[in-house]
Amino acid sequence: MGVTHNQLIAMLAVVDCGTFDRAAGKLNLTQSTITKRVQELEASMGFSVFDRSKRQAILTIQGEQFVSLARDTVASFENLTSFNPDKKAAFSHIRLGVTELSSLTWLPKFLESSFAENPNIQFELTIDMSRSLLGSLEDGELDIIVVPEMPFQSNAHVQQIVGVEIALIGKPGLVPTGRKIEVSNLREFEIITQGKTSGFSKSIRDWFSSYGLSTRNNVRVDSLHAMVGLAAAGRGVCIAPRDYLVPLIESGRVAEILTKPKLPAVNYCVMHYPTTHEQLFSRVENDIKCAVDFSTPYFI
């Protein structure tokens, strides 16, 4: 029995995802199908690709050598199948995950320009909290995500794209103009943050914690606009991207509350896990890096 393309794809998915279960999710197959294809491949080759004594999908020495050849083989096969004598671009489908802030700022223009320049690349979008997006990426349900910086697996391909300045926002008159509040004194305010699956809010909560301030008992919502609305209504103060809120600050509908020390920036990243589509994903991520601008609301 010879080695098949599907067997190679299954094996590489396990390598890239780290487990047979995640590989099954990525390829939209059952775990038993993935296992069968890998076992058939190993039987054909006459050696074990994975060390079955480990919980994770750890490659054997022969497996490590074989994977490099397998990637080249799969890439060559894809080049053959994408060959077009009319020199038309091959169609590509990318599952992209972003947080709410991206959808309200740079994403719509990026999609417009991307379609105009690369009409054969279609994006399937997921807009969710950053930790949920990371989980979907690890489970093989997404290809690329744009999220605040957080702990990633060691094999992740990560590019930092921009640091987002943040600010404390509240109802006008809540604090005298120009007065700076010690961060440790913010416990007297009701702080509105996004939920536990928000990487943005987690980074701020961790920073607050270093100053002895906890936000565990305060208001949590999953919508940026809901947070700002509650703050404008005097329900509390919220942490939000400063540049995005400049129009509201300048109009006097909300006020920026200055803190001492100044709130830290939140770094955003674009990332994916190893894939046979490395060249395409890297190109798309570079396009995203050039397009990202969290400072301008798309709808204002």
Side-chain angles (χ1 to χ4, degrees), residues 168-224:
L168 189 64
I169 301 298
K171 184 177 182 180
L174 184 64
V175 174
T177 302
R179 174 191 167 191
K180 290 186 177 181
I181 297 178
E182 294 282 347
V183 169
S184 58
N185 292 332
L186 287 176
R187 57 176 52 88
E188 62 185 89
F189 295 94
E190 190 78 9
I191 299 178
I192 306 166
T193 65
Q194 290 180 310
K196 292 182 178 180
T197 54
S198 167
F200 181 98
S201 289
K202 183 182 185 306
S203 64
I204 300 305
R205 288 196 298 271
D206 291 345
W207 188 79
F208 276 163
S209 179
S210 67
Y211 287 89
L213 181 66
S214 171
T215 61
R216 287 178 299 175
N217 299 319
N218 296 334
V219 181
R220 286 180 181 163
V221 296
D222 285 342
S223 167
L224 173 61

Side-chain angles (χ1 to χ4, degrees), residues 30-242:
T30 63
Q31 183 174 341
S32 61
T33 298
I34 297 294
T35 300
K36 181 181 178 182
R37 290 181 181 179
V38 172
Q39 288 174 340
E40 290 174 346
L41 182 150
E42 291 176 323
S44 295
M45 297 305 301
F47 60 82
S48 295
V49 175
F50 297 104
D51 182 349
R52 296 297 199 280
S53 68
K54 309 294 184 181
R55 294 184 62 184
Q56 293 290 103
I58 305 299
L59 291 168
T60 62
I61 295 176
Q62 296 97 325
E64 290 179 354
Q65 297 170 343
F66 182 67
V67 163
S68 178
L69 293 174
R71 290 196 189 280
D72 291 340
T73 300
V74 170
S76 297
F77 182 85
E78 291 181 351
N79 287 335
L80 286 173
T81 57
S82 64
F83 173 73
N84 190 323
D86 297 326
K87 296 183 179 179
K88 294 180 181 178
F91 177 80
S92 299
H93 181 88
I94 295 178
R95 300 167 298 173
L96 174 64
V98 301
T99 58
E100 182 187 19
L101 181 60
S102 290
S103 71
L104 295 172
T105 51
W106 61 269
L107 181 64
K109 288 184 179 179
F110 168 77
L111 294 176
E112 290 176 356
S113 62
S114 177
F115 181 77
E117 297 173 8
N118 304 288
N120 291 295
I121 297 180
Q122 179 178 338
F123 290 95
E124 176 186 322
L125 296 176
T126 297
I127 300 171
D128 204 340
M129 307 296 278
S130 54
R131 291 186 171 273
S132 297
L133 293 174
L134 180 58
S136 295
L137 182 72
E138 293 175 343
D139 290 340
E141 297 170 358
L142 291 174
D143 298 315
I144 298 173
I145 60 173
V146 180
V147 294
E149 190 173 30
M150 63 179 84
F152 301 123
Q153 293 182 13
S154 59
N155 64 332
H157 292 199
V158 182
Q159 283 194 68
Q160 284 197 358
I161 48 179
V162 70
V164 177
E165 184 182 0
I166 60 175
L168 189 64
I169 301 298
K171 184 177 182 180
L174 184 64
V175 174
T177 302
R179 174 191 167 191
K180 290 186 177 181
I181 297 178
E182 294 282 347
V183 169
S184 58
N185 292 332
L186 287 176
R187 57 176 52 88
E188 62 185 89
F189 295 94
E190 190 78 9
I191 299 178
I192 306 166
T193 65
Q194 290 180 310
K196 292 182 178 180
T197 54
S198 167
F200 181 98
S201 289
K202 183 182 185 306
S203 64
I204 300 305
R205 288 196 298 271
D206 291 345
W207 188 79
F208 276 163
S209 179
S210 67
Y211 287 89
L213 181 66
S214 171
T215 61
R216 287 178 299 175
N217 299 319
N218 296 334
V219 181
R220 286 180 181 163
V221 296
D222 285 342
S223 167
L224 173 61
H225 281 179
M227 289 170 55
V228 176
L230 289 171
R235 180 63 180 81
V237 296
C238 75
I239 309 296
R242 186 186 185 283

Side-chain angles (χ1 to χ4, degrees), residues 7-17 67 70-71 74 274 276:
Q7 290 168 0
L8 293 176
I9 291 295
M11 179 198 69
L12 293 176
V14 175
V15 173
D16 293 340
C17 295
V67 163
R71 290 196 189 280
V74 170
T276 55

